[in-house]
Amino acid sequence: MATLPLKRSYRCVPSLQQFYTGGPLVVSSDGSFIVCVCGESIKIVESSNAAIRATIDGDSETFTALALTPDDKLLFSSGHSRQIRVWDLSTLKCVRSWKGHDGPVMGMACHPSGGLLATAGADRKVLVWDVDGGFCTHYFKGHKGVVSSILFHPDSTKSLLFSASDDTTVKVWDLLTKKCVATLGGHHSTVTSIAVSEDGGMLLSAGRDKVVMLWDLLDYSCKKTVLTYEAVEAVCVIRSATPFVSCLEQSGKNSGLQGVYFVTVGERGIVRIWNSERAACLFEQQSSDVTVSSDEDGSKRGFATAIMLPLDQGLLCVTVDQQLLVYSPVKQPEGIFDIVMSKRLVGYNEEIVDMKFLGDEEQYLAVATNTEQVRVYDLASMSCHYVLAGHTETILSVDTCVSSSGRTLIVTGSKDKSVRLWDSETGRCLGFSVGHMGAVGAVAFSKKGKSFFVSGSSDRTLKVWNFDGLSDDVEQPVDLQAKAVVAAHDKDINSLAIAPNDSLVCSGSQDRTACIWKLPDLVPGVVLKGHKRGIWSVEFSPVDQCVITASGDKTIKLWDIADGSCLKTFEGHTSSVLRASFITRGTQFVSCGADGLVKLWTVKTNECIATYDHHEDKIWALAVGKKTEMLATGGGDAVVNIWHDSTASEKEEAFQREEEGVLKGQELQNAIVDADYTKAIQIAFQLRRPHKLFELFAELCRKREAENQIQKALHALNKEEFRLLLEYIREWNTKPKLCHVAQFVLFRVFNNVPPTEIIEIKGIAELLEGLLPYSQRHFSRIDRLVRSTYLLDYTLTGMSVIEPKTDTRELQAHSEKADQEQQAPEEGLKPKAALKKRKSDKHKDGKKQKKVKGVAYTSVAAVS
C-alpha cells in the first residue's frame, strides 16, 4: 500500500458564525442583505448564505431599533443609550448622532422619500427627524404606554404616520397639521404589528388579543375583525402580483375573492394566509418548523416577526430561537396550494457540543448544540437543511454512519437519559430507548457491520444496541433493546470509539482511565492508566493496534492495545485536550482543546507541525471526513470552522512565487543596468528586498540629478508600501553606517508626500516614535563633529595656512571700495608713470608672496 504524503497545513474557512441574537432586523430594498443585531454589535449578512459582509460595533450598547433608507445607503440605529446614530454603509462610519427620547427607542421607520425618520420610544412619544439636519420636525404625544411599532404611509404623497402601542391603541398622525387625526381603539391587548394595504386605503393591525383588525383610512372606521385564535406577532400584506396570490388562484382557493390578502404568524409557529373579504383563512401550515418556546410570563411564542421579501423572494419568518426561515409558495401536482421552507439560516447556535459529517459525499454536517435539536447543515450554502427534534433536553453526543442498506443514519445521546436513532433522509426517528439512568455523554456506531451502536452514560455503564433488521417504513419509533450492559468506570463516561473491525470498543472516563472491551458482549480487556486528569476523547488507529487518548492533563497519549503500555506522549496544549482524531491513514492526528487551539501532529516524530488559533473559546467538537479528510471544529464561541487540506495548494503557490521571484529578480537587475532607478525601486518593493532597496537609494544619494527619480519612485508607492518604506528607514536609522541614506530618503519622503497622506498611513505614530530618538542622536553626533572642526579652523587660520571665512557680500563691497580708491589718484597720472607704478606694485607683491610662502612652509615643517 502506497504511503500517503503528510499534511503540512490546513486552510480555515469560517463557515458558520453567529450573526443574530434576537431583537430588531431589517432587510434591504432588493433583499440581498439583512441587517440584524448580534450581541452589542450590528451584523450585515448576505441573505443567501448568511455570510457576514460587515460588522458595526455598538460601544457596549444593546440595540433596540434599526431602519434603512429606501436606497440602502444609510442605516439608523438606537439602543438603551437613547442615542440615535446614522451610519454610512459604504464606509461603516457614524456620520451623525443625536438624542431625543427620554427612554429607549423601541421602533424606527424611514419615510419613502428618505428625508424623514420617525422614532417610537418607551417614553410614550413619537418623534420625526430631519435626516440631513438631525433636528426634530414633529413631536407627538398621546399614547399612554410604550410605543412599539411605527410606520409611514407607503405613498409619499400622503403625509400620514401610524403608531401602535401597548396601550392597545393605534394612532394616526398628520404630518402637515402636526396633529393626531384618529385614535383606533379596538384591541384588548398589545398591538404588535401594523401594515398598510397595497392600494393604500386600508390599515391592518394585529395584536396578542388574537385578532387582526382592518381600518378604512378615509373615515378611520373598523371595516372588519378577523379572528386568528392565536397571539399574532406580525401581519404582512401580500401584493396582488406575487407568486403567493397566483398559486392561490391556480389552486382555486381564492376564486372570485377581492379584498386584501395578508399573512399572519404568531405563537403557534405556523404561517397562515387570509383574505379580508370573507375574513377566512385560505391556507394554514399543517406542521410547524419551529420549536415553540414559552416566555417568562408563560405565553408561548413560535415566531417573533415576519417580513415579506422584495422582488418575490418569499416570506421571511424570524423565530424566537434566532432562526430565519424563508418560505416560498408551491402548487402541488394535485393542484393543492402549499408553502415550502426554501432556506433556514440559524443566527445563533449557542455552545456547540458535538458534530459529525453526514453521508457518503460528506456534504452535510450534523451539529449538536446546547439545545434539544440536531441541526443538519448543507456545507455548500451553510443553510440549515433540516432539524431533528424529539429529545426533551440538551443533546450531548452524536454519531453518523451509512448502513449496509445504504441509509444514512444518525444516533444521538441526550441529558434526558435517552438514545435516539434517526433516518437522515426523512428526518424521522426510527428507534429510541431510555435505558440509562444518567445523561448519555457518548455514542458510537459500529465501523464494519453498521448494525449496532454503543452508548456510554454518566451512570458509568456501557450499553450495546442492535438495530439490525429495523424496517424502513416504521410509523412510530421502535423501542430499542440493549444486547449487552457493563458497569465500566468509576466516573462519567466521556467518549467511545469502536475498532475498525468491530471487535473492540474503547471507553474514556473522568476516572482518568480508558478501558478496552471485547464486543459484542463487553468482555473487559486491558485498562489504560497514565493520565493525571479525566479522559475526554479516545480513538482507534485505522491501521495499527493502538489507541489515542486526549486528557484534561494537557497531554495526548498513544497506547498499545495488546498490553496497555503507553507508546508515546504528546505535549503542547496549554489547557485540557478535548478531542484528538487520526488522519493520513494513522500517520498523523489532529487535536483541539480548551485553549482554543487546533494542532496538527506527526506520530512518528512526535512533532507538532502546525498550530491554528481561530476560536475564541473551548473547542468541544472535532469532526474528520473519512474520504476528504476535511475537518470541522466548533465550541463555546458558537462558531463552526471548516478546514481544508492546503498542503498541495500552498506548495504550488510557493513554487509559483519562487518562479515569479526569479523573473522579477532578473527584471530588477536589468533596471539597475539601465539606470532606471524608479522601476528598480518598485520591483525591490514587490520582492520585499530591503537590502537591495538600500543599495538603490545609496546610489541615488551619490547622484546630483537623483531628485526627479526619487520623486517618481515615491509617487508610484501606495499606502502599504509607504508604511513598509518607513519601517525600512526606521531599521536603517538605527545603524550609524546606514543612517545618512536613511535621513536622505526620509527628507525626500517628507518633501514629496503631503502631510495629509502621511498621517493616513497605518501605524504612522509608532513609526515616527521609532525614528525620532535615533534621528536626534545622529544630529547631536554631527553637531559635535562640526563644533570640533572649529578648533582646527582656528589653528590653521592662526598659522596663516588658511584665510578666515569672510562673508561674500562684505568681501565684494570691500573689493569695490578698494578699486574706487585706486582709480581716483590714477586718473591724473601719465601713462608712463602709471605703468611704472604697476610694475613697482607687482614687484612688491611678488616679494610679499615669497615671504608668506616661506613662513607657510616653515610652519608646516614645524608642525610635521
Side-chain angles (χ1 to χ4, degrees):
M1 186 182 291
T3 58
L4 292 175
L6 295 179
K7 294 174 175 56
R8 291 290 172 186
S9 61
Y10 272 87
R11 186 181 71 258
C12 174
V13 182
S15 295
L16 193 63
Q17 304 177 69
Q18 56 182 6
F19 64 89
Y20 179 58
T21 54
L25 84 165
V26 286
V27 181
S28 64
S29 58
D30 59 357
S32 62
F33 65 89
I34 304 170
V35 182
C36 45
V37 174
C38 182
E40 295 177 347
S41 63
I42 299 173
K43 302 282 186 183
I44 303 172
V45 299
E46 299 281 352
S47 56
S48 58
N49 58 2
I52 297 176
R53 273 193 190 182
T55 301
I56 299 174
D57 293 323
D59 298 331
S60 303
E61 179 186 14
T62 302
F63 292 97
T64 55
L66 296 174
L68 280 169
T69 53
D71 58 4
D72 300 328
K73 291 183 178 179
L74 297 178
L75 170 70
F76 306 96
S77 71
S78 187
H80 288 298
S81 69
R82 304 174 314 216
Q83 194 86 10
I84 300 169
R85 290 186 171 92
V86 185
W87 306 88
D88 187 342
L89 290 187
S90 60
T91 61
L92 300 179
K93 290 183 179 178
C94 180
V95 293
R96 67 184 67 91
S97 64
W98 64 85
K99 277 187 180 180
H101 286 273
D102 298 326
V105 178
M106 306 306 295
M108 283 183 174
C110 191
H111 194 266
S113 66
L116 296 175
L117 174 72
T119 57
D123 57 359
R124 308 176 185 181
K125 298 174 187 174
V126 175
L127 304 179
V128 183
W129 308 86
D130 184 275
V131 172
D132 295 327
F135 56 86
C136 181
T137 60
H138 299 75
Y139 181 93
F140 297 127
K141 290 181 69 175
H143 281 291
K144 298 178 181 178
V146 175
V147 186
S148 55
S149 300
I150 195 158
L151 177 70
F152 280 104
H153 196 289
D155 186 353
S156 58
T157 60
K158 295 185 178 180
S159 54
L160 294 179
L161 175 67
F162 309 99
S163 62
S165 168
D166 60 5
D167 64 1
T168 72
T169 65
V170 178
K171 287 186 178 291
V172 185
W173 312 90
D174 191 324
L175 298 177
L176 296 179
T177 63
K178 298 187 178 182
K179 291 182 180 179
C180 176
V181 295
T183 299
L184 312 179
H187 288 279
H188 300 285
S189 185
T190 302
V191 181
T192 55
S193 179
I194 50 179
V196 178
S197 63
E198 186 179 6
D199 60 4
M202 194 170 290
L203 176 71
L204 288 76
S205 63
R208 291 182 184 151
D209 54 358
K210 305 182 180 181
V211 296
V212 175
M213 303 187 75
L214 289 87
W215 308 86
D216 192 333
L217 291 181
L218 292 176
D219 56 4
Y220 302 110
S221 61
C222 179
K223 290 298 182 184
K224 197 155 289 187
T225 300
V226 180
L227 298 175
T228 60
Y229 302 103
E230 71 165 335
V232 180
E233 295 297 328
V235 58
C236 301
V237 172
I238 304 175
R239 290 182 292 109
S240 56
T242 59
F244 281 91
V245 175
S246 58
C247 287
L248 282 170
E249 288 174 352
Q250 292 174 13
S251 62
K253 288 210 168 189
N254 66 337
S255 54
L257 289 179
Q258 302 297 320
V260 179
Y261 293 94
F262 59 93
V263 174
T264 60
V265 297
E267 63 179 3
R268 290 171 57 191
I270 59 173
V271 177
R272 293 194 288 178
I273 300 176
W274 306 78
N275 179 265
S276 63
E277 185 177 342
R278 289 192 317 194
C281 180
L282 303 181
F283 169 78
E284 180 175 335
Q285 214 176 355
Q286 295 302 312
S287 62
S288 174
D289 296 311
V290 189
T291 303
V292 179
S293 62
S294 298
D295 284 346
E296 294 177 358
D297 58 359
S299 62
K300 291 185 177 180
R301 292 182 65 201
F303 285 122
T305 187
I307 301 169
M308 191 63 71
L309 294 176
L311 307 177
D312 300 334
Q313 297 178 48
L315 175 70
L316 173 66
C317 298
V318 183
T319 70
V320 292
D321 57 351
Q322 297 90 42
Q323 296 185 44
L324 279 62
L325 313 183
V326 179
Y327 289 100
S328 301
V330 293
K331 196 182 83 166
Q332 303 290 356
E334 300 83 7
I336 301 173
F337 174 84
D338 198 4
I339 63 170
V340 294
M341 186 175 62
S342 57
K343 198 181 302 176
R344 184 197 297 260
L345 305 176
V346 179
Y348 186 63
N349 267 312
E350 299 188 24
E351 197 166 13
I352 294 169
V353 180
D354 199 5
M355 58 186 171
K356 290 290 187 296
F357 286 105
L358 198 61
D360 279 332
E361 302 301 321
E362 297 169 354
Q363 65 215 24
Y364 297 103
L365 184 68
V367 179
T369 64
N370 206 10
T371 62
E372 308 87 30
Q373 306 169 346
V374 172
R375 293 167 179 167
V376 180
Y377 289 89
D378 184 349
L379 291 178
S381 63
M382 284 320 290
S383 168
C384 185
H385 195 53
Y386 55 89
V387 173
L388 303 178
H391 284 287
T392 57
E393 290 191 49
T394 302
I395 295 173
L396 300 177
S397 54
V398 61
D399 197 12
T400 62
C401 80
V402 179
S403 68
S404 53
S405 61
R407 285 190 302 175
T408 302
L409 303 176
I410 302 173
V411 64
T412 54
S414 168
K415 272 188 179 180
D416 61 8
K417 307 175 186 178
S418 71
V419 291
R420 284 181 177 266
L421 185 67
W422 310 82
D423 185 345
S424 70
E425 293 179 6
T426 61
R428 290 188 298 110
C429 180
L430 301 177
F432 80 101
S433 178
V434 191
H436 283 285
M437 302 299 292
V440 182
V443 290
F445 271 116
S446 61
K447 297 292 188 290
K448 188 177 179 181
K450 313 287 179 67
S451 58
F452 67 91
F453 66 90
V454 182
S455 63
S457 168
S458 60
D459 64 5
R460 309 168 190 176
T461 63
L462 288 180
K463 294 194 176 189
V464 180
W465 309 86
N466 189 6
F467 58 85
D468 193 18
L470 201 63
S471 175
D472 293 348
D473 53 357
V474 290
E475 293 293 332
Q476 296 295 326
V478 175
D479 191 4
L480 301 172
Q481 299 297 322
K483 286 174 53 181
V485 182
V486 67
H489 288 273
D490 297 330
K491 289 186 179 180
D492 296 2
I493 297 172
N494 293 330
S495 181
L496 290 173
I498 295 178
N501 59 1
D502 289 350
S503 62
L504 302 172
V505 61
C506 180
S507 58
S509 169
Q510 280 295 106
D511 63 6
R512 299 176 288 180
T513 65
C515 298
I516 306 292
W517 309 86
K518 295 179 182 177
L519 290 171
D521 299 324
L522 296 177
V523 177
V526 296
V527 179
L528 312 178
K529 294 182 179 180
H531 281 295
K532 298 176 182 177
R533 293 286 185 276
I535 295 174
W536 287 102
S537 174
V538 294
E539 186 171 307
F540 282 93
S541 169
V543 291
D544 297 319
Q545 299 290 313
C546 59
V547 170
I548 194 170
T549 58
S551 168
D553 61 6
K554 311 176 189 178
T555 65
I556 304 156
K557 291 181 181 288
L558 193 66
W559 309 83
D560 187 341
I561 60 176
D563 56 6
S565 60
C566 179
L567 303 175
K568 288 177 182 287
T569 299
F570 302 86
E571 297 180 353
H573 281 279
T574 57
S575 190
S576 300
V577 188
L578 302 176
R579 287 286 185 271
S581 291
F582 282 106
I583 57 172
T584 325
R585 207 175 287 156
T587 57
Q588 291 180 290
F589 67 90
V590 179
S591 65
C592 58
D595 52 9
L597 301 178
V598 177
K599 288 181 176 285
L600 176 62
W601 307 79
T602 301
V603 173
K604 187 176 181 180
T605 61
N606 275 44
E607 179 189 5
C608 174
I609 58 177
T611 300
Y612 306 99
D613 185 7
H614 287 270
H615 283 274
E616 297 177 358
D617 206 342
K618 297 181 181 71
I619 303 176
W620 287 108
L622 170 66
V624 179
K626 295 180 179 65
K627 286 188 177 181
T628 59
E629 296 209 332
M630 177 171 53
L631 308 180
T633 55
D637 56 0
V639 173
V640 174
N641 286 328
I642 305 296
W643 306 77
H644 299 279
D645 178 19
S646 61
T647 307
S649 61
E650 286 188 8
K651 190 175 180 181
E652 174 119 1
E653 287 172 7
F655 177 76
Q656 288 178 356
R657 282 197 302 269
E658 186 179 351
E659 190 175 2
E660 287 174 5
V662 171
L663 295 173
K664 287 284 185 184
Q666 185 59 50
E667 197 175 344
L668 175 61
Q669 293 300 326
N670 294 341
I672 294 172
V673 170
D674 297 339
D676 188 353
Y677 290 100
T678 304
K679 185 177 180 181
I681 287 170
Q682 290 176 1
I683 297 171
F685 264 114
Q686 291 172 8
L687 296 176
R688 300 292 189 264
R689 293 186 183 177
H691 181 67
K692 180 60 73 175
L693 204 58
F694 176 81
E695 289 178 354
L696 290 169
F697 281 123
E699 187 70 25
L700 285 172
C701 188
R702 291 190 285 270
K703 293 180 179 293
R704 291 187 178 180
E705 67 280 0
E707 187 166 347
N708 283 336
Q709 296 201 34
I710 288 183
Q711 191 171 354
K712 286 181 184 177
L714 292 177
H715 281 306
L717 301 180
N718 56 36
K719 286 182 182 178
E720 179 61 24
E721 288 173 336
F722 263 123
R723 186 188 63 79
L724 205 59
L725 176 59
L726 289 173
E727 283 185 4
Y728 293 157
I729 292 173
R730 183 178 61 181
E731 292 302 316
W732 301 337
N733 200 41
T734 59
K735 300 173 178 62
K737 291 182 179 180
L738 312 180
C739 67
H740 61 287
V741 177
Q743 292 295 325
F744 168 77
V745 179
L746 191 62
F747 176 76
R748 298 299 175 192
V749 168
F750 287 150
N751 266 11
N752 289 292
V753 183
T756 53
E757 292 184 17
I758 291 176
I759 61 174
E760 290 179 0
I761 297 173
K762 187 178 178 182
I764 185 65
E766 185 183 347
L767 290 169
L768 292 178
E769 282 177 10
L771 282 166
L772 280 173
Y774 282 97
S775 296
Q776 289 171 353
R777 187 180 301 177
H778 296 320
F779 282 119
S780 299
R781 180 166 53 85
I782 291 169
D783 189 51
R784 287 196 304 271
L785 289 172
V786 170
R787 276 186 279 138
S788 300
T789 61
Y790 292 161
L791 177 61
L792 183 61
D793 288 345
Y794 176 76
T795 306
L796 295 176
T797 304
M799 296 167 62
S800 301
V801 176
I802 61 172
E803 293 182 4
K805 280 187 178 179
T806 311
D807 192 2
T808 311
R809 295 178 195 168
E810 291 179 7
L811 190 61
Q812 189 175 357
H814 181 69
S815 62
E816 286 177 0
K817 187 177 180 182
D819 290 342
Q820 287 173 4
E821 288 175 356
Q822 190 175 357
Q823 275 179 0
E826 286 179 358
E827 286 176 358
L829 292 176
K830 292 179 181 179
K832 287 185 180 179
L835 181 62
K836 190 182 284 187
K837 187 175 187 315
R838 280 198 296 272
K839 286 183 180 178
S840 175
D841 290 343
K842 189 174 182 182
H843 182 66
K844 287 178 183 177
D845 288 344
K847 273 185 167 187
K848 189 176 180 181
Q849 192 174 1
K850 283 181 183 177
K851 188 176 179 182
V852 171
K853 282 186 179 177
V855 172
Y857 295 150
T858 309
S859 301
V860 172
V863 170
S864 300

